[in-house]
Amino acid sequence: LLELGYIHVSGDPNAEFFRQYTDWKNGGALGLLALGFDNRKTGSYLEFRGSRISDHDQYYRLRAGRYGSYKVEAFYRDMPHTLSTSAYPIWNGVGGTNLTLPTSLTPGYSTIAAVEQASRDAPRRTLGLTRTRSGISIEGELYRNWIGYASVTNEERNGDRPYGGTMIFNFAFPSTGSPYGGNGGILETVRPIDFTTTDINLGLRNVGKIWHFNAVYTGSFFRDHKDYFNYQNPFYISTVFGVPPAGLLTNGQTSLEPDNDYHNLRLELSRELKWNGELSLTGAYGTMRQDDDLKPNLNCSGDLGFSFGPFQQIIPCADWNTPASLSKTSANARIDTKLFDAKVSFHPTHAFGWHADLRYYKEDNKTRYVAYNPLTGQYGYV
């Protein structure tokens, strides 16, 4: 089966929602390509399917096997996700981990007019990401009624997206006549997207006349290839009542999603009983873990000052901008789960039945963190 066509785009081809999940362009299009082969004598078959074929928007699937014996499947999919077609971030290095201001702006001490001009001068750009997903699975008879199956799926996300930044009293406490924006500004930065998620499934089952058995392992492994990203802050972060701080906040830092692993093992056993009854037993154990390095509370140098009415304090950055200021240097986060379920049911007649169910579930969060700074002897965050 072959489907051919031509795509013509008119109007505004960069309209955000028009391009949100597609990559429409003028030109020829291969809408569908499907091939199928069957051997009626042996029960063997082979199928191939490709659709929506373009640079960043396509799907392929291959299936093969023999009925009653085994089957294999593999697939590949690209899907774009456009988030904005007219963004104008003021930073250099968009898409990377270090956002720097143009030469027209001074980190921590730029006027409102200078920031507005930098916004007007910034080129309009498209922000978005592409999701690429591929996988392979196999299932077949191992011995008599024993069937095994396995699958591996990998998904990658690459691109960039709008993100947050500084938020300090920008509207609640405006500064009258100040060219530096009063108490700072609210920033919308651009963060990189560079994720990989790998899912694994392994299984073994037996379907007998009386007993049924199923064992399943599920694993999921997430990797963020960007640990954190930095950005320069253009605005002057003043205090509420205008007392100048001892230093300028020129940099911001955000820690991104940590690498993490998930494992789950599940065993199921069931047996048919008299009076149209069934006994089923289920046991499962799961664990979720991540141990990424922790980032310091501050990303600054020199001293910072803070004042609110009669209260004033000087904060040395050296006491808070180093991993030595943390109570531990890595997350060591872990959550374990346990499940046991036993159920028995009987339906001796169409009008009458009863069942009993015993369920035990436990979630043990082993994650521990105390916000304590060994350098200052203080508890809590700065």
Side-chain angles (χ1 to χ4, degrees):
L1 179 63
L2 182 64
E3 181 183 282
L4 299 173
Y6 182 84
I7 296 177
H8 173 68
V9 179
S10 61
D12 181 9
N14 288 323
E16 180 179 347
F17 292 107
F18 178 69
R19 290 184 51 190
Q20 188 173 16
Y21 293 110
T22 56
D23 189 18
W24 301 113
K25 295 179 181 178
N26 290 329
L30 179 58
L32 175 65
L33 172 62
L35 302 172
F37 303 91
D38 289 282
N39 188 322
R40 298 183 180 181
K41 293 182 178 180
T42 64
S44 300
Y45 62 92
L46 175 66
E47 300 174 356
F48 173 80
R49 180 184 180 93
S51 60
R52 302 179 64 87
I53 301 173
S54 62
D55 292 341
H56 302 290
D57 185 7
Q58 52 194 322
Y59 174 70
Y60 305 99
R61 186 186 68 195
L62 178 67
R63 289 178 174 174
R66 189 172 64 197
Y67 292 107
S69 181
Y70 72 93
K71 62 180 179 180
V72 180
E73 180 175 336
F75 73 93
Y76 177 88
R77 170 179 290 158
D78 266 351
M79 179 181 291
H81 186 184
T82 301
L83 298 168
S84 176
T85 58
S86 59
Y88 48 96
I90 60 176
W91 290 272
N92 299 318
V94 171
T97 56
N98 291 286
L99 302 184
T100 59
L101 293 171
T103 56
S104 60
L105 298 179
T106 301
Y109 211 72
S110 301
T111 63
I112 297 177
V115 175
E116 290 177 344
Q117 185 61 47
S119 296
R120 288 191 291 267
D121 295 340
R124 270 47 180 174
R125 66 174 71 217
T126 297
L127 299 180
L129 56 100
T130 299
R131 292 183 291 176
T132 301
R133 188 173 177 87
S134 58
I136 185 171
S137 63
I138 183 171
E139 178 178 333
E141 184 179 11
L142 301 178
Y143 178 73
R144 293 186 178 179
N145 293 328
W146 289 94
I147 297 174
Y149 55 94
S151 68
V152 178
T153 303
N154 187 75
E155 180 174 311
E156 296 185 2
R157 299 188 181 191
N158 293 280
D160 43 44
R161 60 168 295 179
Y163 204 59
T166 306
M167 292 186 292
I168 299 186
F169 300 140
N170 196 47
F171 305 115
F173 298 96
S175 178
T176 304
S178 171
Y180 295 100
N183 296 289
I186 294 180
L187 302 182
E188 185 172 81
T189 61
V190 179
R191 61 154 292 180
I193 301 293
D194 192 2
F195 303 158
T196 300
T197 303
T198 303
D199 295 325
I200 299 176
N201 288 279
L202 303 174
L204 179 66
R205 67 174 180 263
N206 181 289
V207 181
K209 294 182 179 179
I210 299 178
W211 289 96
H212 309 286
F213 173 81
N214 191 32
V216 182
Y217 165 78
T218 301
S220 184
F221 309 93
F222 174 84
R223 296 296 180 265
D224 190 345
H225 304 294
K226 302 287 192 300
D227 293 333
Y228 63 94
F229 83 102
N230 299 318
Y231 59 90
Q232 289 184 325
N233 166 51
F235 293 111
Y236 172 64
I237 309 298
S238 70
T239 52
V240 176
F241 293 103
V243 179
L248 296 175
L249 284 172
T250 60
N251 295 292
Q253 178 175 280
T254 297
S255 182
L256 302 178
E257 294 85 355
D259 297 349
N260 58 82
D261 299 336
Y262 169 72
H263 305 272
N264 185 274
L265 180 62
R266 185 180 183 93
L267 301 177
E268 300 173 343
L269 183 66
S270 62
R271 187 186 191 281
E272 297 181 4
L273 303 174
K274 295 181 179 180
W275 303 308
N276 197 23
E278 183 183 46
L279 169 68
S280 61
L281 303 173
T282 301
Y285 171 79
T287 181
M288 296 168 278
R289 305 181 185 187
Q290 72 97 344
D291 196 25
D292 264 18
D293 293 338
L294 300 180
K295 302 301 177 186
N297 292 275
L298 293 180
N299 179 22
C300 62
S301 59
D303 294 334
L304 295 179
F306 177 80
S307 65
F308 195 95
F311 177 77
Q312 297 186 21
Q313 184 178 5
I314 299 297
I315 302 172
C317 287
D319 289 341
W320 297 91
N321 65 3
T322 171
S325 64
L326 303 173
S327 60
K328 61 180 183 179
T329 58
S330 62
N332 193 26
R334 176 177 174 178
I335 299 177
D336 294 339
T337 60
K338 297 178 182 178
L339 168 70
F340 176 76
D341 187 272
K343 185 175 182 178
V344 60
S345 62
F346 294 95
H347 294 275
T349 68
H350 293 290
F352 174 74
W354 65 273
H355 73 271
D357 193 2
L358 174 65
R359 180 179 176 86
Y360 169 82
Y361 177 77
K362 179 180 180 181
E363 180 177 295
D364 185 7
N365 192 334
K366 302 178 183 294
T367 308
R368 301 290 184 268
Y369 182 78
V370 177
Y372 172 74
N373 188 337
L375 299 179
T376 64
Q378 293 174 299
Y379 288 89
Y381 293 100
V382 61

